[in-house]
Amino acid sequence: MARVFVAGSINMDVVATAVRHPRVGETVAGEAVHYFPGGKGANQAVAAAKLGAPTTLIGRLGADAFGQQLRTFLAAQGIDLSSVKETVGTHTGTAIITVAAADNTIVVVPGANALLTAADVATPVLAEGDIAVSQFEIALPAIEAFFKRARAAGATTILNPAPAQAFGPDLLGLVDILVLNETELGFLANTAFEADDPAARFIEAARHLQTDPERIICITLGKRGVLALIGSEISTIAGRKVKAIDTTGAGDCFVGALAAQLAGGRPIRDALDYANAAASICVQRMGAAPSMPTAAEVAAALRR
Ligand code: RIB
């Protein structure tokens, strides 16, 4: 089996649950506070590793208690952490999250994640068939350097441009598979979507990002499932009916599961179906990294 390499953020998620989100200027009483391992890069690496792919994470932690706890947790998931550096003089990335009625708001303070450099991604050795994954909680030059190395080695690159920010054609040109939700697609295509927009509207926006006809664009639509533009063909994967408790990390679960499936040589449509099932399990649990499913759980969901 090929390897999955994830260059990305590692955060401690400080999660408060409440009956509803406060309005600006308002205080509401919370119900509980949790400390969950998170960060988009770490979540994606945990998903890939739990689903059976040999996985390497490239990232930075602060030299503090959160950093130590996260390293212990990630090592216990079987992830290769030889490219996760401890950085003196800054704190471990921290996300302040409010969860109410299964929806979240997140403020991320990047800390050490912001200091990941192109030199950091230069050490791991990628091979043909490997899968290189990244997202936007680390600096764009590091992602570009990582994807250049991945392409030179014959690996497939997956970019999850989250949280959304503008990026140039040089980085887009290095992407084989783009995975984004409707908010990120709306930002990049300079349009706004409604929850019940027809699939054709999303696909029309996705075509603007398919500057290379080989590039696959996957749009994750939560309850509505997934739309994918594969060459000129459109694939629709129906949403799974589940009771969501906390959607934090569901997109990361999808990306990590997709990467693991592709590393295992699965065809893209099967891999998307599998990733959709994995994400439907993730939303039924609290927390990001700890709610990633095992391969047995995804297999059971697919049989149902
Ligand atoms: O995608 C979910 C993640 O976003 C959380 O784990 C949080 O750390 C933020 O980075």
Side-chain angles (χ1 to χ4, degrees):
M1 189 182 203
R3 283 195 84 78
V4 173
F5 290 83
V6 182
S9 58
I10 312 169
N11 295 334
M12 182 60 83
D13 291 352
V14 183
V15 181
T17 58
V19 171
R20 65 174 179 82
H21 290 279
R23 286 182 281 272
V24 173
E26 187 194 21
T27 302
V28 299
E31 294 169 326
V33 64
H34 306 273
Y35 294 81
F36 290 125
K40 294 184 192 303
N43 296 339
Q44 294 173 10
V46 171
K50 283 187 79 171
L51 293 170
T55 303
T56 295
L57 178 60
I58 305 158
R60 285 199 182 220
L61 291 165
D64 50 22
F66 279 172
Q68 282 167 20
Q69 289 164 25
L70 288 165
R71 189 179 282 277
T72 303
F73 171 83
L74 293 167
Q77 314 304 309
I79 298 169
D80 165 28
L81 299 179
S82 55
S83 295
V84 173
K85 274 196 195 161
E86 193 176 278
T87 309
V88 177
T90 186
H91 62 88
T92 293
T94 308
I96 308 299
I97 303 181
T98 306
V99 175
D103 267 331
N104 61 56
T105 59
I106 306 182
V107 175
V108 185
V109 191
N113 296 307
L115 301 180
L116 192 84
T117 65
D120 292 331
V121 300
T123 330
V125 180
L126 288 87
E128 190 167 356
D130 285 344
I131 311 293
V133 182
S134 200
Q135 348 62 32
F136 280 174
E137 285 185 340
I138 56 171
L140 268 46
I143 301 173
E144 207 167 310
F146 177 53
F147 281 180
K148 272 188 189 147
R149 290 195 75 229
R151 276 277 179 92
T156 297
T157 58
I158 302 181
L159 180 66
N160 171 219
Q165 63 171 288
F167 63 104
D170 289 354
L171 177 54
L172 184 61
L174 293 165
V175 177
D176 296 314
I177 304 175
L178 194 67
V179 181
L180 69 183
N181 65 21
E182 71 262 45
T183 309
E184 291 138 12
L185 179 63
F187 176 85
L188 294 174
N190 201 18
T191 186
F193 293 109
E194 300 296 329
D196 54 358
D197 272 343
R201 267 213 77 208
F202 295 106
I203 291 295
E204 186 195 319
R207 284 192 208 286
H208 294 291
L209 300 170
Q210 203 184 36
T211 49
D212 173 347
E214 296 289 306
R215 183 174 308 124
I216 294 171
I217 317 285
C218 304
I219 311 152
T220 55
L221 295 170
K223 279 188 246 193
R224 286 184 65 184
V226 180
L227 279 173
L229 188 55
I230 304 169
S232 58
E233 290 191 9
I234 299 159
S235 264
T236 306
I237 292 143
R240 294 179 154 256
K241 285 195 175 50
V242 294
K243 184 168 168 26
I245 302 282
D246 176 13
T247 57
T248 314
D252 302 330
C253 180
F254 182 90
V255 171
L258 176 65
Q261 287 285 292
L262 296 177
R266 302 290 172 292
I268 182 72
R269 285 181 184 77
D270 293 355
L272 290 170
D273 201 25
Y274 187 97
N276 185 46
S280 77
I281 298 170
C282 178
V283 300
Q284 297 176 67
R285 302 167 177 167
M286 277 300 295
S291 63
M292 299 305 162
T294 61
E297 289 170 327
V298 181
L302 284 168
R303 278 196 299 272
R304 275 198 287 276

